Amino acid sequence: ETGVTQSPTHLIKTRGQQVTLRCSSQSGHNTVSWYQQALGQGPQFIFQYYREEENGRGNFPPRFSGLQFPNYSSELNVNALELDDSALYLCASSHRGTPNEQYFGPGTRLTVT
Amino acid sequence: AQTVTQSQPEMSVQEAETVTLSCTYDTSESDYYLFWYKQPPSRQMILVIRQEAYKQQNATENRFSVNFQKAAKSFSLKISDSQLGDAAMYFCAYRSANYGQNFVFGPGTRLSVLP
């Protein structure tokens, strides 16, 4: 167990809808990163939040957005869902000073129909 | 941009035998970190082993060891005395030492362990 939890475990949405995924980081971890893992592929970096501000983004459009809260929880929001958004979404928490120590959650499986 | 390649989509090994998973990467940087992560069916990514590029000595963690060839940009994982619990997806990952950089993952290798 990594101490990182995600909810929900599974989710089914319709194209065009909006979705919010949640992550609860390890206590004391002030940095959270989100990854998208399409079926049969490795995780792709979406963005990172540090002290409630976006601190780096991968090659994802603005309809992917996030929030980080002072209680070490965070959200990933995706607007205008597309079929290609179907994937496993992973969050990983770490402390700013130890970026190599990233602890992953079990992920949320999103299916867009 | 950095890329990570794993040329073996699937591998299998007999229980108690040794298997080696391959990984190559492309980067113009000299200072970076390399990782092997395991993702079992439970989906939770678990760190197996980490290597700092500035260290010549290969990292080892119990039954897991790496062969790090910096000039060849190669980073293979050797699993000795394979156990049924080793069956999982294995991902090779790269992280730049530059501040604020995140992980770049390879496509993964699915390892099956045969009893």
Side-chain angles (χ1 to χ4, degrees), chain B residues 6-8 10-12 19-23 36-37 65 67 74-79 86 88-92 108-111:
Chain B
Q6 294 177 250
S7 59
Q8 306 153 316
E10 294 185 2
M11 292 282 285
S12 63
V19 65
T20 299
L21 308 184
S22 301
C23 172
W36 279 98
Y37 274 89
S65 61
N67 183 4
S74 170
F75 183 61
S76 61
L77 174 69
K78 184 170 82 171
I79 306 174
D86 294 334
M89 283 292 292
Y90 285 81
F91 292 97
C92 179
T109 296
R110 181 175 300 282
L111 177 67

Side-chain angles (χ1 to χ4, degrees), chain B residues 7-44:
Chain B
S7 59
Q8 306 153 316
E10 294 185 2
M11 292 282 285
S12 63
V13 62
Q14 290 289 141
E15 199 175 1
E17 296 295 308
T18 296
V19 65
T20 299
L21 308 184
S22 301
C23 172
T24 58
Y25 57 94
D26 187 27
T27 184
S28 58
E29 298 176 330
S30 59
D31 197 10
Y32 50 87
Y33 304 89
L34 296 165
F35 308 79
W36 279 98
Y37 274 89
K38 170 185 177 181
Q39 188 177 42
S42 67
R43 309 184 315 203
Q44 195 136 25

Side-chain angles (χ1 to χ4, degrees), chain A residues 8-26:
Chain A
T9 304
H10 296 92
L11 199 54
I12 300 175
K13 288 286 190 178
T14 302
R15 189 171 50 184
Q17 286 187 317
Q18 179 267 342
V19 69
T20 297
L21 311 181
R22 294 180 173 81
C23 172
S24 179
S25 301
Q26 272 199 19

Side-chain angles (χ1 to χ4, degrees), chain A residues 2 4 9-10 33 35 37 40-43 45 48 88 90 96 99-102 104-109, chain B residues 33 35 37 39 42-47 50 52 89 91 95-96 99-108:
Chain A
T2 63
V4 180
T9 304
H10 296 92
S33 301
Y35 295 83
Q37 186 179 10
Q41 297 183 22
F45 172 64
Q48 181 184 83
L88 180 68
L90 300 167
R96 183 75 158 180
N100 286 331
E101 306 279 341
Q102 289 209 10
F104 285 83
T108 293
R109 171 77 65 193
Chain B
Y33 304 89
F35 308 79
Y37 274 89
Q39 188 177 42
S42 67
R43 309 184 315 203
Q44 195 136 25
M45 298 280 275
I46 303 165
L47 177 65
R50 177 176 71 211
E52 292 85 351
M89 283 292 292
F91 292 97
R95 195 185 81 80
S96 166
Y99 192 71
Q101 296 299 306
N102 263 279
F103 290 85
V104 177
F105 286 89

Side-chain angles (χ1 to χ4, degrees), chain A residues 75-87:
Chain A
E75 291 180 355
L76 164 65
N77 299 290
V78 187
N79 293 323
L81 283 167
E82 301 176 0
L83 296 179
D84 285 348
D85 295 334
S86 294

Side-chain angles (χ1 to χ4, degrees), chain A:
Chain A
E1 290 296 325
T2 63
V4 180
T5 59
Q6 291 186 244
S7 62
T9 304
H10 296 92
L11 199 54
I12 300 175
K13 288 286 190 178
T14 302
R15 189 171 50 184
Q17 286 187 317
Q18 179 267 342
V19 69
T20 297
L21 311 181
R22 294 180 173 81
C23 172
S24 179
S25 301
Q26 272 199 19
S27 179
H29 281 187
N30 51 19
T31 302
V32 64
S33 301
W34 284 90
Y35 295 83
Q36 180 194 66
Q37 186 179 10
L39 195 62
Q41 297 183 22
Q44 301 269 325
F45 172 64
I46 302 174
F47 48 55
Q48 181 184 83
Y49 275 76
Y50 169 64
R51 288 191 174 179
E52 303 166 46
E53 291 192 3
E54 189 177 294
N55 186 44
R57 173 179 278 265
N59 190 25
F60 281 81
R63 59 189 186 84
F64 286 78
S65 63
L67 287 172
Q68 185 186 28
F69 304 100
N71 66 350
Y72 308 115
S73 67
S74 60
E75 291 180 355
L76 164 65
N77 299 290
V78 187
N79 293 323
L81 283 167
E82 301 176 0
L83 296 179
D84 285 348
D85 295 334
S86 294
L88 180 68
Y89 289 85
L90 300 167
C91 73
S93 75
S94 61
H95 191 276
R96 183 75 158 180
T98 54
N100 286 331
E101 306 279 341
Q102 289 209 10
Y103 296 87
F104 285 83
T108 293
R109 171 77 65 193
L110 172 66
T111 302
V112 182
T113 61

